[in-house]
Amino acid sequence: VTITAGSDTKVYDGTALTKNTYTNTDLAAGDAITSVTVTGSQTVVGNSANVPSAAVIKDGSEDVTANYNITYVNGKLKINPVEKVIVITAASDEKVYDGKPLTNDGYTYTEGVLIAGDVLIATVEGSQTEVGSSANVVTDYKVIRGGARSLAAGTDVTANYTFGESIDGTL
């Protein structure tokens, strides 16, 4: 008999994908699979095996598992990245000339894309001291799960999202 674990796919939502199902080929008349252990879990973007094992086959109340040559076939669990694109926009700012550099590390990003518990942290760099203007640029970004606005406080889950080209601000 061949027992194949179920497969499943979903978009990243911060929760584990599991699939505790299986299919099997034909059994002898009167025999039935009473249990199969299926273990597998995928939480972030990527693939992993969904592994069946430990089947129990019975004829009524009698365990007849030993009468079978059982082949197990793994299923696949797959998490895809969030489909909506995140665009980060660096802040713009202005002031009257005072001889001191104008900087602004603020930013905004596409609302409604991050999963609850995920926080976007961006680095914005730019400086303008003289009269005129220059770009305020997003130079780096990460999405952290389980942390406040600190890389050390959580897990980097950036790969679970899709990013578009950042938009510069003006100083």
Side-chain angles (χ1 to χ4, degrees), residues 11-14 45 79-86 112-115 118 159-163:
V11 172
Y12 171 75
D13 66 3
V45 170
I79 302 283
N80 292 318
V82 173
E83 295 167 350
K84 190 171 180 184
V85 175
I86 297 174
V113 179
L114 294 181
I115 302 305
D118 290 358
N160 296 302
Y161 293 93
T162 304
F163 286 84

Side-chain angles (χ1 to χ4, degrees), residues 1-170:
V1 65
T2 299
I3 298 174
T4 304
S7 294
D8 205 357
T9 300
K10 74 173 185 174
V11 172
Y12 171 75
D13 66 3
T15 64
L17 171 63
T18 60
K19 184 81 170 175
N20 190 20
T21 63
Y22 63 90
T23 58
N24 61 277
T25 55
D26 293 330
L27 300 170
D31 291 354
I33 296 176
T34 58
S35 68
V36 173
T37 300
V38 179
T39 54
S41 180
Q42 184 71 27
T43 304
V44 298
V45 170
N47 303 306
S48 62
N50 201 25
V51 182
S53 63
V56 176
I57 303 170
K58 291 190 175 185
D59 179 2
S61 61
E62 180 183 355
D63 187 336
V64 295
T65 307
N67 295 335
Y68 286 89
N69 179 14
I70 302 173
T71 301
Y72 295 102
V73 178
N74 293 345
K76 182 169 94 173
L77 301 174
K78 181 178 181 184
I79 302 283
N80 292 318
V82 173
E83 295 167 350
K84 190 171 180 184
V85 175
I86 297 174
V87 175
I88 304 169
T89 303
S92 292
D93 209 346
E94 63 180 71
K95 71 174 186 173
V96 174
Y97 173 77
D98 63 3
K100 297 176 186 171
L102 170 63
T103 61
N104 187 328
D105 63 358
Y107 57 90
T108 58
Y109 57 89
T110 312
E111 291 186 31
V113 179
L114 294 181
I115 302 305
D118 290 358
V119 176
L120 184 129
I121 300 169
T123 302
V124 176
E125 295 178 353
S127 180
Q128 183 68 31
T129 304
E130 303 298 323
V131 171
S133 64
S134 61
N136 202 25
V137 180
V138 175
T139 59
D140 192 28
Y141 55 84
K142 298 262 188 257
V143 178
I144 303 300
R145 179 153 196 79
R149 293 197 170 263
S150 166
L151 292 173
T155 304
D156 184 344
V157 293
T158 307
N160 296 302
Y161 293 93
T162 304
F163 286 84
E165 189 171 329
S166 296
I167 301 171
D168 293 348
T170 302

